[in-house]
Amino acid sequence: MADMNKKIPYKIYLTEDEMPKQWYNLRADMKNKPAPLLNPGTLKPLTAEELAPIFCDELIAQELDDTTAYFDIPEEIFEYYKTYRPAPLMRAYNLEKALGTPAKIYYKFEGNNTSGSHKLNSALAQAYYAKKQGLKGVTTETGAGQWGTALSMACAYFDLDCKVYMVKVSYEQKPFRREVMKTYGASVTPSPSTTTAIGRKILEDHPGTTGSLGCAISEAVEVATTQEGYRYVLGSVLNQVLLHQSIIGLEAKAALDKYEITPDIIIGCAGGGSNLGGLIAPFMGEKLRGEKDYRIIAVEPASCPSFTRGKFAYDFCDTGMICPLAKMYTLGSGFIPSPNHAGGLRFHGMSSTLSQLYHDGLMEAVSVEQTSVFEAAEQFARTEGILPAPESSHAIRAAIDEALKCKESGEEKTILFGLTGTGYFDMVAYEKFHDGEMSDYIPTDEDLAAGFAGIPKFPGNEI
Ligand SMILES: *Cc1c(COP(=O)(O)O)cnc(C)c1O
């Protein structure tokens, strides 16, 4: 068996010619389509016309299209993809050995670009379509900073203005992230800020708040809809983002196919769901079409447990309640994770597509506590060499746990997980872990009830 294994290299690369030339739209193969975005005023599905002041036109078309299976990747985007893709598919031989597991572990590594994450895959697409529409610039929010960095890079490449609202706690804890964004020409404002009406209101209602992604989204949307020539772009959650991120799964599958490897278990961390949705896309497509079966596991923090403890309901995507309503697993748009939560993945909701798949029993979800996530991160760094992002380390935790189960049962399962990025800008969190100052705050049912109370009530949306 060991000899068979050795035939598979540590890194499986595709050539440029073997790279996927199209994105895959998972929704095309779903029988139960994700519920449409609703206009919060009328509670009717949003039309392209209504979305036009917020998003770029071509991105709206992608957002609303749940029947076209494949979209050509425009040449201009593909050219930039080639500077950092294909991303390697790695065989975690060293981790397997350290664990003493018969499981075979593979990971798709998306951290090989300056943003340090998979987010550049969608940032490039979104900046490209904004430029093509003749816009001046785009606005966005960023939490840990990877999305803001990715978008800054993409805007620099396509010569667009980039205004980033950065969750205040991250702005203060991650000054280097901020400066990287400025290096690429973006303006960066800590959120909530006094530069927007919604920011001023949030500050009035919650003085001293350290911010949340939801607040920052509200601010970025307000600026995009009130300044001419700007649109809002979002780095996760939306269908269009999952579409762009399908490049992750398509490449991973092409690399596995080269060696006739079929994963049994596919694991990804879930914040808003974009890397997971992208990684699983072609595999879930096979599952939906009845061609193959896989176990698919979403991993989320126990401190922000949208899938495992949230409600499946229409909710706002932002704290300011100005964004469309999306049907998703949610903790309520007013939910703000405990400030000692250092591992990212702090969004209150989840992609509608993944929510529907989870609701239909096509995938599983687990929640993990942050100290165990950092233990896994450290074990991974020491064996595989890559310093993982805390977000990615949620997937590492679950992959190790599955591999350890194989050790007990003696099963030689093949595990694929998404290693979404690197953790160089997360050393404050690592420091807390090393100094024993990290705790595992898990919200109580009462904490969650307060968030659920903010979910809008209307007929058909009972929780
Ligand atoms: C943003 C981010 C995530 C989580 O976002 P998803 O949309 O759920 O993929 C995970 N890992 C890294 C490194 C990130 O930057």
Side-chain angles (χ1 to χ4, degrees), residues 23 27 51 55-65 122-130 133 135 138 231-234 238-241 243-244:
W23 293 304
R27 289 169 290 159
L51 287 167
F55 297 126
C56 304
D57 297 342
E58 288 219 32
L59 293 167
I60 294 171
Q62 294 177 353
E63 190 64 32
L64 299 179
D65 188 333
S122 183
L124 283 168
Q126 298 195 44
Y128 166 77
Y129 290 117
Q133 198 176 321
L135 298 173
V138 290
R231 291 294 184 281
Y232 167 69
V233 294
L234 179 62
L238 297 174
N239 295 323
Q240 56 187 274
V241 184
L243 174 70
H244 308 144

PDB file of all heavy atoms in Angstrom, residues 23 27 51 55-65 122-130 133 135 138 231-234 238-241 243-244:
ATOM      1  N   TRP A  23     -16.438  28.680 -15.147  1.00  0.00           N
ATOM      2  CA  TRP A  23     -16.904  28.473 -13.776  1.00  0.00           C
ATOM      3  C   TRP A  23     -18.141  27.581 -13.830  1.00  0.00           C
ATOM      4  O   TRP A  23     -18.889  27.607 -14.811  1.00  0.00           O
ATOM      5  CB  TRP A  23     -17.310  29.805 -13.138  1.00  0.00           C
ATOM      6  CG  TRP A  23     -16.203  30.774 -12.903  1.00  0.00           C
ATOM      7  CD1 TRP A  23     -15.057  30.579 -12.205  1.00  0.00           C
ATOM      8  CD2 TRP A  23     -16.168  32.151 -13.348  1.00  0.00           C
ATOM      9  NE1 TRP A  23     -14.310  31.743 -12.176  1.00  0.00           N
ATOM     10  CE2 TRP A  23     -14.965  32.710 -12.866  1.00  0.00           C
ATOM     11  CE3 TRP A  23     -17.029  32.961 -14.084  1.00  0.00           C
ATOM     12  CZ2 TRP A  23     -14.610  34.041 -13.105  1.00  0.00           C
ATOM     13  CZ3 TRP A  23     -16.675  34.270 -14.320  1.00  0.00           C
ATOM     14  CH2 TRP A  23     -15.481  34.807 -13.844  1.00  0.00           C
ATOM     15  N   ARG A  27     -26.063  25.743  -8.786  1.00  0.00           N
ATOM     16  CA  ARG A  27     -27.533  25.881  -8.700  1.00  0.00           C
ATOM     17  C   ARG A  27     -28.236  25.241  -9.888  1.00  0.00           C
ATOM     18  O   ARG A  27     -29.392  24.832  -9.794  1.00  0.00           O
ATOM     19  CB  ARG A  27     -27.911  27.360  -8.622  1.00  0.00           C
ATOM     20  CG  ARG A  27     -27.551  28.016  -7.315  1.00  0.00           C
ATOM     21  CD  ARG A  27     -27.703  29.519  -7.428  1.00  0.00           C
ATOM     22  NE  ARG A  27     -26.676  30.095  -8.287  1.00  0.00           N
ATOM     23  CZ  ARG A  27     -26.754  31.262  -8.899  1.00  0.00           C
ATOM     24  NH1 ARG A  27     -27.827  32.009  -8.766  1.00  0.00           N
ATOM     25  NH2 ARG A  27     -25.759  31.701  -9.649  1.00  0.00           N
ATOM     26  N   LEU A  51     -31.767  45.653  -8.224  1.00  0.00           N
ATOM     27  CA  LEU A  51     -30.399  45.402  -7.737  1.00  0.00           C
ATOM     28  C   LEU A  51     -29.377  46.307  -8.417  1.00  0.00           C
ATOM     29  O   LEU A  51     -28.258  46.476  -7.916  1.00  0.00           O
ATOM     30  CB  LEU A  51     -30.025  43.927  -7.971  1.00  0.00           C
ATOM     31  CG  LEU A  51     -30.712  42.916  -7.048  1.00  0.00           C
ATOM     32  CD1 LEU A  51     -30.523  41.494  -7.577  1.00  0.00           C
ATOM     33  CD2 LEU A  51     -30.160  43.015  -5.625  1.00  0.00           C
ATOM     34  N   PHE A  55     -25.384  46.522  -7.258  1.00  0.00           N
ATOM     35  CA  PHE A  55     -24.370  45.643  -7.852  1.00  0.00           C
ATOM     36  C   PHE A  55     -24.134  45.949  -9.337  1.00  0.00           C
ATOM     37  O   PHE A  55     -24.984  46.556 -10.001  1.00  0.00           O
ATOM     38  CB  PHE A  55     -24.813  44.173  -7.747  1.00  0.00           C
ATOM     39  CG  PHE A  55     -24.975  43.651  -6.352  1.00  0.00           C
ATOM     40  CD1 PHE A  55     -26.167  43.063  -5.942  1.00  0.00           C
ATOM     41  CD2 PHE A  55     -23.933  43.721  -5.433  1.00  0.00           C
ATOM     42  CE1 PHE A  55     -26.327  42.560  -4.653  1.00  0.00           C
ATOM     43  CE2 PHE A  55     -24.082  43.216  -4.142  1.00  0.00           C
ATOM     44  CZ  PHE A  55     -25.279  42.644  -3.751  1.00  0.00           C
ATOM     45  N   CYS A  56     -23.020  45.471  -9.856  1.00  0.00           N
ATOM     46  CA  CYS A  56     -22.714  45.591 -11.289  1.00  0.00           C
ATOM     47  C   CYS A  56     -23.666  44.694 -12.090  1.00  0.00           C
ATOM     48  O   CYS A  56     -24.063  43.622 -11.628  1.00  0.00           O
ATOM     49  CB  CYS A  56     -21.294  45.114 -11.568  1.00  0.00           C
ATOM     50  SG  CYS A  56     -20.068  45.977 -10.612  1.00  0.00           S
ATOM     51  N   ASP A  57     -23.982  45.147 -13.302  1.00  0.00           N
ATOM     52  CA  ASP A  57     -25.012  44.474 -14.101  1.00  0.00           C
ATOM     53  C   ASP A  57     -24.700  42.995 -14.383  1.00  0.00           C
ATOM     54  O   ASP A  57     -25.553  42.136 -14.216  1.00  0.00           O
ATOM     55  CB  ASP A  57     -25.227  45.217 -15.423  1.00  0.00           C
ATOM     56  CG  ASP A  57     -25.755  46.634 -15.176  1.00  0.00           C
ATOM     57  OD1 ASP A  57     -26.258  46.893 -14.061  1.00  0.00           O
ATOM     58  OD2 ASP A  57     -25.645  47.477 -16.091  1.00  0.00           O
ATOM     59  N   GLU A  58     -23.479  42.716 -14.835  1.00  0.00           N
ATOM     60  CA  GLU A  58     -23.184  41.311 -15.184  1.00  0.00           C
ATOM     61  C   GLU A  58     -23.173  40.412 -13.952  1.00  0.00           C
ATOM     62  O   GLU A  58     -23.487  39.228 -14.019  1.00  0.00           O
ATOM     63  CB  GLU A  58     -21.835  41.193 -15.902  1.00  0.00           C
ATOM     64  CG  GLU A  58     -21.919  41.758 -17.305  1.00  0.00           C
ATOM     65  CD  GLU A  58     -21.134  40.947 -18.328  1.00  0.00           C
ATOM     66  OE1 GLU A  58     -21.023  39.710 -18.190  1.00  0.00           O
ATOM     67  OE2 GLU A  58     -20.614  41.593 -19.249  1.00  0.00           O
ATOM     68  N   LEU A  59     -22.796  41.003 -12.827  1.00  0.00           N
ATOM     69  CA  LEU A  59     -22.781  40.214 -11.588  1.00  0.00           C
ATOM     70  C   LEU A  59     -24.213  39.931 -11.133  1.00  0.00           C
ATOM     71  O   LEU A  59     -24.495  38.866 -10.583  1.00  0.00           O
ATOM     72  CB  LEU A  59     -21.977  40.934 -10.505  1.00  0.00           C
ATOM     73  CG  LEU A  59     -20.478  41.040 -10.826  1.00  0.00           C
ATOM     74  CD1 LEU A  59     -19.786  42.022  -9.892  1.00  0.00           C
ATOM     75  CD2 LEU A  59     -19.795  39.675 -10.745  1.00  0.00           C
ATOM     76  N   ILE A  60     -25.118  40.864 -11.397  1.00  0.00           N
ATOM     77  CA  ILE A  60     -26.537  40.634 -11.084  1.00  0.00           C
ATOM     78  C   ILE A  60     -27.058  39.474 -11.933  1.00  0.00           C
ATOM     79  O   ILE A  60     -27.753  38.576 -11.433  1.00  0.00           O
ATOM     80  CB  ILE A  60     -27.371  41.904 -11.347  1.00  0.00           C
ATOM     81  CG1 ILE A  60     -26.974  43.012 -10.378  1.00  0.00           C
ATOM     82  CG2 ILE A  60     -28.873  41.600 -11.256  1.00  0.00           C
ATOM     83  CD1 ILE A  60     -27.568  44.370 -10.683  1.00  0.00           C
ATOM     84  N   ALA A  61     -26.686  39.490 -13.214  1.00  0.00           N
ATOM     85  CA  ALA A  61     -27.134  38.401 -14.103  1.00  0.00           C
ATOM     86  C   ALA A  61     -26.651  37.055 -13.562  1.00  0.00           C
ATOM     87  O   ALA A  61     -27.410  36.078 -13.526  1.00  0.00           O
ATOM     88  CB  ALA A  61     -26.618  38.641 -15.520  1.00  0.00           C
ATOM     89  N   GLN A  62     -25.408  37.021 -13.096  1.00  0.00           N
ATOM     90  CA  GLN A  62     -24.884  35.764 -12.526  1.00  0.00           C
ATOM     91  C   GLN A  62     -25.607  35.410 -11.231  1.00  0.00           C
ATOM     92  O   GLN A  62     -25.916  34.249 -10.965  1.00  0.00           O
ATOM     93  CB  GLN A  62     -23.380  35.890 -12.255  1.00  0.00           C
ATOM     94  CG  GLN A  62     -22.561  36.044 -13.532  1.00  0.00           C
ATOM     95  CD  GLN A  62     -21.078  36.229 -13.258  1.00  0.00           C
ATOM     96  OE1 GLN A  62     -20.640  36.368 -12.124  1.00  0.00           O
ATOM     97  NE2 GLN A  62     -20.284  36.241 -14.331  1.00  0.00           N
ATOM     98  N   GLU A  63     -25.895  36.435 -10.452  1.00  0.00           N
ATOM     99  CA  GLU A  63     -26.555  36.214  -9.161  1.00  0.00           C
ATOM    100  C   GLU A  63     -27.918  35.560  -9.353  1.00  0.00           C
ATOM    101  O   GLU A  63     -28.311  34.681  -8.586  1.00  0.00           O
ATOM    102  CB  GLU A  63     -26.720  37.571  -8.444  1.00  0.00           C
ATOM    103  CG  GLU A  63     -27.180  37.488  -7.004  1.00  0.00           C
ATOM    104  CD  GLU A  63     -26.169  36.778  -6.106  1.00  0.00           C
ATOM    105  OE1 GLU A  63     -24.961  36.867  -6.347  1.00  0.00           O
ATOM    106  OE2 GLU A  63     -26.625  36.105  -5.164  1.00  0.00           O
ATOM    107  N   LEU A  64     -28.643  36.014 -10.353  1.00  0.00           N
ATOM    108  CA  LEU A  64     -30.028  35.576 -10.523  1.00  0.00           C
ATOM    109  C   LEU A  64     -30.167  34.311 -11.374  1.00  0.00           C
ATOM    110  O   LEU A  64     -31.249  33.745 -11.472  1.00  0.00           O
ATOM    111  CB  LEU A  64     -30.856  36.708 -11.149  1.00  0.00           C
ATOM    112  CG  LEU A  64     -30.933  38.012 -10.327  1.00  0.00           C
ATOM    113  CD1 LEU A  64     -31.764  39.052 -11.053  1.00  0.00           C
ATOM    114  CD2 LEU A  64     -31.489  37.760  -8.926  1.00  0.00           C
ATOM    115  N   ASP A  65     -29.085  33.888 -11.997  1.00  0.00           N
ATOM    116  CA  ASP A  65     -29.166  32.764 -12.939  1.00  0.00           C
ATOM    117  C   ASP A  65     -28.986  31.432 -12.216  1.00  0.00           C
ATOM    118  O   ASP A  65     -27.884  31.082 -11.795  1.00  0.00           O
ATOM    119  CB  ASP A  65     -28.062  32.939 -13.997  1.00  0.00           C
ATOM    120  CG  ASP A  65     -28.192  31.931 -15.128  1.00  0.00           C
ATOM    121  OD1 ASP A  65     -28.741  30.826 -14.900  1.00  0.00           O
ATOM    122  OD2 ASP A  65     -27.745  32.248 -16.243  1.00  0.00           O
ATOM    123  N   SER A 122     -12.579  35.689  -6.625  1.00  0.00           N
ATOM    124  CA  SER A 122     -13.809  36.429  -6.905  1.00  0.00           C
ATOM    125  C   SER A 122     -13.548  37.927  -7.032  1.00  0.00           C
ATOM    126  O   SER A 122     -14.209  38.611  -7.815  1.00  0.00           O
ATOM    127  CB  SER A 122     -14.857  36.164  -5.810  1.00  0.00           C
ATOM    128  OG  SER A 122     -16.060  36.825  -6.127  1.00  0.00           O
ATOM    129  N   ALA A 123     -12.574  38.448  -6.282  1.00  0.00           N
ATOM    130  CA  ALA A 123     -12.262  39.885  -6.361  1.00  0.00           C
ATOM    131  C   ALA A 123     -11.917  40.271  -7.797  1.00  0.00           C
ATOM    132  O   ALA A 123     -12.373  41.302  -8.307  1.00  0.00           O
ATOM    133  CB  ALA A 123     -11.092  40.216  -5.427  1.00  0.00           C
ATOM    134  N   LEU A 124     -11.135  39.446  -8.456  1.00  0.00           N
ATOM    135  CA  LEU A 124     -10.737  39.737  -9.838  1.00  0.00           C
ATOM    136  C   LEU A 124     -11.954  39.782 -10.746  1.00  0.00           C
ATOM    137  O   LEU A 124     -12.081  40.672 -11.588  1.00  0.00           O
ATOM    138  CB  LEU A 124      -9.767  38.662 -10.342  1.00  0.00           C
ATOM    139  CG  LEU A 124      -8.341  38.791  -9.832  1.00  0.00           C
ATOM    140  CD1 LEU A 124      -7.557  37.535 -10.150  1.00  0.00           C
ATOM    141  CD2 LEU A 124      -7.664  40.026 -10.426  1.00  0.00           C
ATOM    142  N   ALA A 125     -12.842  38.828 -10.556  1.00  0.00           N
ATOM    143  CA  ALA A 125     -14.038  38.778 -11.398  1.00  0.00           C
ATOM    144  C   ALA A 125     -14.894  40.015 -11.158  1.00  0.00           C
ATOM    145  O   ALA A 125     -15.354  40.676 -12.095  1.00  0.00           O
ATOM    146  CB  ALA A 125     -14.825  37.504 -11.107  1.00  0.00           C
ATOM    147  N   GLN A 126     -15.084  40.359  -9.902  1.00  0.00           N
ATOM    148  CA  GLN A 126     -15.968  41.481  -9.601  1.00  0.00           C
ATOM    149  C   GLN A 126     -15.377  42.812 -10.068  1.00  0.00           C
ATOM    150  O   GLN A 126     -16.089  43.672 -10.592  1.00  0.00           O
ATOM    151  CB  GLN A 126     -16.285  41.497  -8.108  1.00  0.00           C
ATOM    152  CG  GLN A 126     -17.013  40.217  -7.678  1.00  0.00           C
ATOM    153  CD  GLN A 126     -17.668  40.341  -6.313  1.00  0.00           C
ATOM    154  OE1 GLN A 126     -18.295  41.345  -6.013  1.00  0.00           O
ATOM    155  NE2 GLN A 126     -17.533  39.318  -5.492  1.00  0.00           N
ATOM    156  N   ALA A 127     -14.073  42.985  -9.890  1.00  0.00           N
ATOM    157  CA  ALA A 127     -13.432  44.224 -10.358  1.00  0.00           C
ATOM    158  C   ALA A 127     -13.496  44.294 -11.883  1.00  0.00           C
ATOM    159  O   ALA A 127     -13.768  45.349 -12.464  1.00  0.00           O
ATOM    160  CB  ALA A 127     -11.981  44.279  -9.871  1.00  0.00           C
ATOM    161  N   TYR A 128     -13.294  43.185 -12.526  1.00  0.00           N
ATOM    162  CA  TYR A 128     -13.336  43.155 -13.995  1.00  0.00           C
ATOM    163  C   TYR A 128     -14.705  43.614 -14.516  1.00  0.00           C
ATOM    164  O   TYR A 128     -14.801  44.459 -15.396  1.00  0.00           O
ATOM    165  CB  TYR A 128     -13.014  41.745 -14.501  1.00  0.00           C
ATOM    166  CG  TYR A 128     -13.359  41.549 -15.954  1.00  0.00           C
ATOM    167  CD1 TYR A 128     -12.531  42.080 -16.953  1.00  0.00           C
ATOM    168  CD2 TYR A 128     -14.514  40.878 -16.326  1.00  0.00           C
ATOM    169  CE1 TYR A 128     -12.867  41.935 -18.294  1.00  0.00           C
ATOM    170  CE2 TYR A 128     -14.852  40.718 -17.659  1.00  0.00           C
ATOM    171  CZ  TYR A 128     -14.029  41.254 -18.640  1.00  0.00           C
ATOM    172  OH  TYR A 128     -14.366  41.115 -19.946  1.00  0.00           O
ATOM    173  N   TYR A 129     -15.784  43.069 -13.938  1.00  0.00           N
ATOM    174  CA  TYR A 129     -17.123  43.433 -14.429  1.00  0.00           C
ATOM    175  C   TYR A 129     -17.459  44.891 -14.099  1.00  0.00           C
ATOM    176  O   TYR A 129     -18.165  45.551 -14.854  1.00  0.00           O
ATOM    177  CB  TYR A 129     -18.185  42.481 -13.872  1.00  0.00           C
ATOM    178  CG  TYR A 129     -18.086  41.080 -14.451  1.00  0.00           C
ATOM    179  CD1 TYR A 129     -17.804  39.979 -13.651  1.00  0.00           C
ATOM    180  CD2 TYR A 129     -18.265  40.871 -15.821  1.00  0.00           C
ATOM    181  CE1 TYR A 129     -17.704  38.704 -14.185  1.00  0.00           C
ATOM    182  CE2 TYR A 129     -18.163  39.588 -16.366  1.00  0.00           C
ATOM    183  CZ  TYR A 129     -17.874  38.519 -15.539  1.00  0.00           C
ATOM    184  OH  TYR A 129     -17.777  37.257 -16.076  1.00  0.00           O
ATOM    185  N   ALA A 130     -16.939  45.401 -12.993  1.00  0.00           N
ATOM    186  CA  ALA A 130     -17.168  46.817 -12.652  1.00  0.00           C
ATOM    187  C   ALA A 130     -16.467  47.717 -13.678  1.00  0.00           C
ATOM    188  O   ALA A 130     -17.018  48.708 -14.154  1.00  0.00           O
ATOM    189  CB  ALA A 130     -16.645  47.112 -11.248  1.00  0.00           C
ATOM    190  N   GLN A 133     -18.181  47.804 -16.983  1.00  0.00           N
ATOM    191  CA  GLN A 133     -19.393  48.632 -16.967  1.00  0.00           C
ATOM    192  C   GLN A 133     -19.051  50.123 -16.956  1.00  0.00           C
ATOM    193  O   GLN A 133     -19.942  50.967 -16.977  1.00  0.00           O
ATOM    194  CB  GLN A 133     -20.210  48.261 -15.718  1.00  0.00           C
ATOM    195  CG  GLN A 133     -21.653  48.686 -15.780  1.00  0.00           C
ATOM    196  CD  GLN A 133     -22.419  48.203 -14.555  1.00  0.00           C
ATOM    197  OE1 GLN A 133     -22.211  47.095 -14.059  1.00  0.00           O
ATOM    198  NE2 GLN A 133     -23.314  49.047 -14.047  1.00  0.00           N
ATOM    199  N   LEU A 135     -17.515  51.822 -14.493  1.00  0.00           N
ATOM    200  CA  LEU A 135     -17.658  52.448 -13.167  1.00  0.00           C
ATOM    201  C   LEU A 135     -16.343  53.085 -12.712  1.00  0.00           C
ATOM    202  O   LEU A 135     -15.264  52.739 -13.202  1.00  0.00           O
ATOM    203  CB  LEU A 135     -18.102  51.401 -12.145  1.00  0.00           C
ATOM    204  CG  LEU A 135     -19.456  50.748 -12.406  1.00  0.00           C
ATOM    205  CD1 LEU A 135     -19.702  49.616 -11.417  1.00  0.00           C
ATOM    206  CD2 LEU A 135     -20.577  51.783 -12.309  1.00  0.00           C
ATOM    207  N   VAL A 138     -15.461  50.751  -6.542  1.00  0.00           N
ATOM    208  CA  VAL A 138     -16.317  49.845  -5.777  1.00  0.00           C
ATOM    209  C   VAL A 138     -16.098  50.077  -4.281  1.00  0.00           C
ATOM    210  O   VAL A 138     -15.051  50.581  -3.875  1.00  0.00           O
ATOM    211  CB  VAL A 138     -16.037  48.360  -6.127  1.00  0.00           C
ATOM    212  CG1 VAL A 138     -16.505  48.028  -7.526  1.00  0.00           C
ATOM    213  CG2 VAL A 138     -14.562  48.010  -5.964  1.00  0.00           C
ATOM    214  N   ARG A 231     -20.328  50.937  -7.150  1.00  0.00           N
ATOM    215  CA  ARG A 231     -21.193  49.822  -6.807  1.00  0.00           C
ATOM    216  C   ARG A 231     -20.542  49.101  -5.636  1.00  0.00           C
ATOM    217  O   ARG A 231     -19.359  49.270  -5.365  1.00  0.00           O
ATOM    218  CB  ARG A 231     -21.361  48.820  -7.966  1.00  0.00           C
ATOM    219  CG  ARG A 231     -22.142  49.327  -9.147  1.00  0.00           C
ATOM    220  CD  ARG A 231     -23.603  49.611  -8.834  1.00  0.00           C
ATOM    221  NE  ARG A 231     -24.331  50.012 -10.043  1.00  0.00           N
ATOM    222  CZ  ARG A 231     -24.297  51.238 -10.586  1.00  0.00           C
ATOM    223  NH1 ARG A 231     -23.573  52.189 -10.025  1.00  0.00           N
ATOM    224  NH2 ARG A 231     -24.989  51.491 -11.681  1.00  0.00           N
ATOM    225  N   TYR A 232     -21.376  48.267  -5.006  1.00  0.00           N
ATOM    226  CA  TYR A 232     -20.926  47.511  -3.845  1.00  0.00           C
ATOM    227  C   TYR A 232     -20.504  46.116  -4.296  1.00  0.00           C
ATOM    228  O   TYR A 232     -21.149  45.517  -5.167  1.00  0.00           O
ATOM    229  CB  TYR A 232     -22.093  47.438  -2.856  1.00  0.00           C
ATOM    230  CG  TYR A 232     -21.898  46.446  -1.760  1.00  0.00           C
ATOM    231  CD1 TYR A 232     -20.939  46.652  -0.781  1.00  0.00           C
ATOM    232  CD2 TYR A 232     -22.675  45.294  -1.710  1.00  0.00           C
ATOM    233  CE1 TYR A 232     -20.762  45.724   0.225  1.00  0.00           C
ATOM    234  CE2 TYR A 232     -22.512  44.374  -0.699  1.00  0.00           C
ATOM    235  CZ  TYR A 232     -21.548  44.595   0.266  1.00  0.00           C
ATOM    236  OH  TYR A 232     -21.376  43.670   1.251  1.00  0.00           O
ATOM    237  N   VAL A 233     -19.464  45.595  -3.727  1.00  0.00           N
ATOM    238  CA  VAL A 233     -19.070  44.211  -4.002  1.00  0.00           C
ATOM    239  C   VAL A 233     -18.880  43.480  -2.674  1.00  0.00           C
ATOM    240  O   VAL A 233     -18.530  44.082  -1.665  1.00  0.00           O
ATOM    241  CB  VAL A 233     -17.782  44.116  -4.859  1.00  0.00           C
ATOM    242  CG1 VAL A 233     -18.011  44.676  -6.250  1.00  0.00           C
ATOM    243  CG2 VAL A 233     -16.615  44.823  -4.196  1.00  0.00           C
ATOM    244  N   LEU A 234     -19.163  42.190  -2.708  1.00  0.00           N
ATOM    245  CA  LEU A 234     -19.150  41.391  -1.480  1.00  0.00           C
ATOM    246  C   LEU A 234     -18.284  40.153  -1.713  1.00  0.00           C
ATOM    247  O   LEU A 234     -18.335  39.560  -2.790  1.00  0.00           O
ATOM    248  CB  LEU A 234     -20.600  41.006  -1.146  1.00  0.00           C
ATOM    249  CG  LEU A 234     -20.901  40.141   0.069  1.00  0.00           C
ATOM    250  CD1 LEU A 234     -20.471  40.843   1.346  1.00  0.00           C
ATOM    251  CD2 LEU A 234     -22.395  39.857   0.151  1.00  0.00           C
ATOM    252  N   LEU A 238     -22.807  35.515  -1.464  1.00  0.00           N
ATOM    253  CA  LEU A 238     -23.626  35.615  -2.680  1.00  0.00           C
ATOM    254  C   LEU A 238     -23.373  34.458  -3.644  1.00  0.00           C
ATOM    255  O   LEU A 238     -22.278  33.889  -3.693  1.00  0.00           O
ATOM    256  CB  LEU A 238     -23.347  36.937  -3.397  1.00  0.00           C
ATOM    257  CG  LEU A 238     -23.703  38.209  -2.630  1.00  0.00           C
ATOM    258  CD1 LEU A 238     -23.236  39.443  -3.397  1.00  0.00           C
ATOM    259  CD2 LEU A 238     -25.206  38.280  -2.362  1.00  0.00           C
ATOM    260  N   ASN A 239     -24.400  34.182  -4.449  1.00  0.00           N
ATOM    261  CA  ASN A 239     -24.298  33.119  -5.453  1.00  0.00           C
ATOM    262  C   ASN A 239     -23.165  33.374  -6.436  1.00  0.00           C
ATOM    263  O   ASN A 239     -22.456  32.468  -6.847  1.00  0.00           O
ATOM    264  CB  ASN A 239     -25.608  33.022  -6.235  1.00  0.00           C
ATOM    265  CG  ASN A 239     -26.757  32.586  -5.355  1.00  0.00           C
ATOM    266  OD1 ASN A 239     -26.581  31.761  -4.459  1.00  0.00           O
ATOM    267  ND2 ASN A 239     -27.938  33.132  -5.592  1.00  0.00           N
ATOM    268  N   GLN A 240     -23.017  34.648  -6.849  1.00  0.00           N
ATOM    269  CA  GLN A 240     -21.980  34.990  -7.828  1.00  0.00           C
ATOM    270  C   GLN A 240     -20.588  34.663  -7.273  1.00  0.00           C
ATOM    271  O   GLN A 240     -19.695  34.259  -8.012  1.00  0.00           O
ATOM    272  CB  GLN A 240     -22.060  36.478  -8.174  1.00  0.00           C
ATOM    273  CG  GLN A 240     -21.969  37.358  -6.953  1.00  0.00           C
ATOM    274  CD  GLN A 240     -22.209  38.838  -7.211  1.00  0.00           C
ATOM    275  OE1 GLN A 240     -21.306  39.553  -7.554  1.00  0.00           O
ATOM    276  NE2 GLN A 240     -23.448  39.282  -7.051  1.00  0.00           N
ATOM    277  N   VAL A 241     -20.411  34.838  -5.957  1.00  0.00           N
ATOM    278  CA  VAL A 241     -19.089  34.579  -5.363  1.00  0.00           C
ATOM    279  C   VAL A 241     -18.818  33.072  -5.366  1.00  0.00           C
ATOM    280  O   VAL A 241     -17.715  32.628  -5.693  1.00  0.00           O
ATOM    281  CB  VAL A 241     -18.999  35.164  -3.933  1.00  0.00           C
ATOM    282  CG1 VAL A 241     -17.597  34.966  -3.370  1.00  0.00           C
ATOM    283  CG2 VAL A 241     -19.363  36.638  -3.932  1.00  0.00           C
ATOM    284  N   LEU A 243     -19.997  31.063  -7.481  1.00  0.00           N
ATOM    285  CA  LEU A 243     -19.721  30.732  -8.888  1.00  0.00           C
ATOM    286  C   LEU A 243     -18.229  30.932  -9.203  1.00  0.00           C
ATOM    287  O   LEU A 243     -17.572  30.031  -9.731  1.00  0.00           O
ATOM    288  CB  LEU A 243     -20.583  31.616  -9.802  1.00  0.00           C
ATOM    289  CG  LEU A 243     -20.312  31.491 -11.301  1.00  0.00           C
ATOM    290  CD1 LEU A 243     -20.775  30.139 -11.825  1.00  0.00           C
ATOM    291  CD2 LEU A 243     -20.993  32.619 -12.079  1.00  0.00           C
ATOM    292  N   HIS A 244     -17.694  32.123  -8.858  1.00  0.00           N
ATOM    293  CA  HIS A 244     -16.275  32.384  -9.153  1.00  0.00           C
ATOM    294  C   HIS A 244     -15.362  31.416  -8.408  1.00  0.00           C
ATOM    295  O   HIS A 244     -14.340  30.977  -8.917  1.00  0.00           O
ATOM    296  CB  HIS A 244     -15.904  33.829  -8.779  1.00  0.00           C
ATOM    297  CG  HIS A 244     -16.812  34.864  -9.373  1.00  0.00           C
ATOM    298  ND1 HIS A 244     -17.173  36.023  -8.714  1.00  0.00           N
ATOM    299  CD2 HIS A 244     -17.457  34.902 -10.562  1.00  0.00           C
ATOM    300  CE1 HIS A 244     -18.006  36.719  -9.471  1.00  0.00           C
ATOM    301  NE2 HIS A 244     -18.196  36.066 -10.593  1.00  0.00           N
TER     302      HIS A 244
END
